[in-house]
Each structure stands twice: as structure tokens, then as C-alpha cells.
Amino acid sequence: MSIIKLNAIDSTNDFLKVLSRNQSVDNFTTVVAQKQTNGKGQMGAVWQSEEGKNLIMSVLVKDVLQNVDEIFHLNVAVALSVIQVLEVFNIPNLSVKWPNDIMSDPKKICGILIENSIKSDTNVESIIGIGLNVNQLKFDNLPKASSMAVICEKEFDLDSILDLIIFQIKKNCSWILSQQSDKLWQEYHKKLFKINVPMAFEDVFQNKFMGIIQGVLTDGRLQVLLEDDSIKSYGIKEIQVLF
């Protein structure tokens, strides 16, 4: 495992994808950048970050997922990894807003984007992109964003957080490898944002409706109890949680 530190890059995910395509790259190799000019979030969203203030990183994970049916196990493992590290720094009221946003109370402090590729032997190689708001204090036109520094009113050491996140990802991936992903899922559901609470949602046709999150299926679909007492499952691109 190695850490590659860059001053500026368009996307740490893209950099790591190209690197792994062109040469042999060790498992859990990590790319971290001071500045990212074309950061990506879920469903094509742009990730904005003040230079040198936040943790912008991508991690290569391979030889962990054996087939496509296990892909969301990695989402669960990574989201929990970030939460477990943030708990070390006493960040309060942490939760996972499905599928991969990390919240402190009602504010988003971290976004995760995992890009997977299926290899010829059916193994899955994944690039885990993490954008964690650490020392940034202002978020213009982003009323739902916050940072560790805003919440705790002090600065944090980026390298310490980086090392802990890599360590925790490796540890949680070991649960997947040992066929004990159920332990991760139990913790994931405990941390699921607004589970069992009436919430507003919006579908791809911009229809808004009320529902209650029941949980997440192993394929990543969100289970929602609707007003007619039916339970419907939604894929990542089919629904948004409004808050």
C-alpha cells in the first residue's frame, strides 16, 4: 500500500483509474490531492472544495469483492469507515444518508463515490473517492454543508485523518473477505439517516411524496414504507431523500 500526494489534479478517482490501467498498483494504494478541479459526486454532482482545507482522496480496492452481487457491501464498509474515524474526533450525531453521504446532525460533511469495474475473472476492482470537509469554514451557496472545523471549532491534521481512514477501510474490508459482511450491515442500519422517520422524497419525474425508510437491501436499493402501507424498493438513480 502506498500514498501518492498531489498538489492539484482534475480528479483523484480518474488519476487512480488511469494509473491502475497502465501499471500494476498495490491494493489500497491511495491518491490524495490539495486541490481537485473536477471532483465528482453521486449522479454527476460536482464536489467543491477549498484548496488545502479538506481531505480529497481515492483508494484502490481489489481482491475483496468476488462478484457483482457484493458491490454494495463495499459501500457499507467505506461509509462505516468514515463514521468510525469521525467518532474518534468526537464529531456528534453521525449518520449515513443513503447511499453514501456522511451527515453530522442535518449537515453533510462527507461525500463518497465508488466506481467499480468488473474484471475478466468476475472479480471487482473499485476506486473509492472520498471528499471530507475538514478545515473549510465557509460554504457559499451550500446551506446543507458543514465541516469538522465548523462543528468542533478547531482545526484538524489532515494526514492523521487520512491514515486512520485507510486503516479503517482495510479493517472493514477484512470483514467482507471473511464472509462476515452482516456485521457491517447491522452497524450501517444503526447509522442510517432518518430510518423509521417520516420523510419527503422525490422520484425521477420530480414527483414528491412522503415515506418512511425501512432499510437498505444488499443490492443497495432503499426500502421505503409508503402512505398506502406498501413497501417499495428504489435504486440509487430512482429517488432522492429531501431534507
Side-chain angles (χ1 to χ4, degrees), residues 207-219:
N207 297 314
K208 294 179 175 61
F209 60 95
M210 296 297 294
I212 301 175
I213 294 173
Q214 303 294 289
V216 178
L217 299 172
T218 55
D219 62 4

Side-chain angles (χ1 to χ4, degrees), residues 52-204:
K53 295 289 188 179
N54 303 318
L55 190 57
I56 303 166
M57 60 184 288
S58 295
V59 185
L60 173 70
V61 172
K62 56 185 178 180
D63 304 322
V64 172
L65 304 178
Q66 301 304 311
N67 58 68
V68 293
D69 295 333
E70 297 181 346
I71 279 178
F72 206 80
H73 292 343
L74 186 61
N75 293 58
V76 169
V78 174
L80 282 178
S81 296
V82 175
I83 282 183
Q84 288 159 342
V85 170
L86 292 176
E87 287 176 338
V88 172
F89 296 98
N90 299 313
I91 307 301
N93 303 319
L94 292 161
S95 62
V96 186
K97 186 172 81 66
W98 176 84
N100 279 331
D101 287 343
I102 307 301
M103 315 290 289
S104 174
D105 276 328
K107 299 284 188 176
K108 176 179 174 178
I109 60 172
C110 179
I112 300 167
L113 175 66
I114 301 179
E115 298 181 276
N116 303 292
S117 58
I118 315 301
K119 301 304 177 182
S120 57
D121 57 2
T122 73
N123 280 356
V124 181
E125 185 172 291
S126 305
I127 305 289
I128 300 164
I130 297 173
L132 174 61
N133 295 332
V134 180
N135 292 321
Q136 186 168 330
L137 298 179
K138 294 183 179 180
F139 297 90
D140 295 334
N141 302 315
L142 294 171
K144 296 177 181 177
S146 190
S147 70
M148 296 173 67
V150 169
I151 293 165
C152 295
E153 299 182 341
K154 66 176 184 178
E155 284 199 354
F156 293 86
D157 180 70
L158 294 174
D159 286 336
S160 297
I161 300 168
L162 171 67
D163 291 342
L164 284 171
I165 288 177
I166 297 170
F167 172 82
Q168 200 63 47
I169 288 174
K170 292 173 71 175
K171 183 178 179 180
N172 285 348
C173 283
S174 70
W175 289 108
I176 299 174
L177 281 168
S178 62
Q179 303 296 311
Q180 298 184 77
S181 298
D182 57 315
K183 298 180 185 299
L184 298 174
W185 278 92
Q186 288 172 14
E187 293 304 311
Y188 180 83
H189 276 109
K190 288 179 185 177
K191 294 293 186 181
L192 198 57
F193 181 70
K194 300 295 185 182
I195 190 170
N196 297 322
V197 175
M199 286 284 294
F201 298 87
E202 183 177 275
D203 64 20
V204 291

